[in-house]
Amino acid sequence: LITKFCLSPNLESMPGTMHAKKKHHFALKDTLLSVTQENTKLLKEIAVLKEQHMKLDGEIKDASSCKKKRESTISRQSDAASEKAKLLALANRQEQEIELLKLEIQSLKTKCGHVSADSRLPRL
């Protein structure tokens, strides 16, 4: 490329070694130019890939954050369900205790075959 524009008729008339050195110099310049162009192309590709990498990292962080929020919500729901089950079991035990106490009260009121006047318990 460069050699086409830089070679002049005067260069052809130079002595052999000088002409060879100039020719080699222009060949090196051409090589340098093509390597520089290739490096520029590669640097642009690196920049594009780096941008894509940063975008994907952001998406991964967002997905990870959403997953943690979901897990936290599920954990809270599970805790709430567990607490509800415990409270229902407690309420059932208390209901059974109330029934046992009613039976005991009834038994005490009818002791020795005597039924007291207030032997009926009000229903709750």
Side-chain angles (χ1 to χ4, degrees), residues 13 19 26 28 49 69 72 75-76 80 87 91 94 97 106 109 121:
S13 64
H19 175 67
F26 287 126
L28 289 175
L49 292 173
K69 286 179 185 177
S72 175
S75 175
R76 277 188 263 124
L87 290 173
Q94 288 175 340
E97 286 180 31
Q106 187 67 31
K109 285 184 179 182
L121 291 177

Side-chain angles (χ1 to χ4, degrees), residues 16-28:
T17 57
M18 183 63 129
H19 175 67
K21 286 183 181 182
K22 285 285 186 182
K23 197 171 188 179
H24 181 68
H25 178 74
F26 287 126
L28 289 175

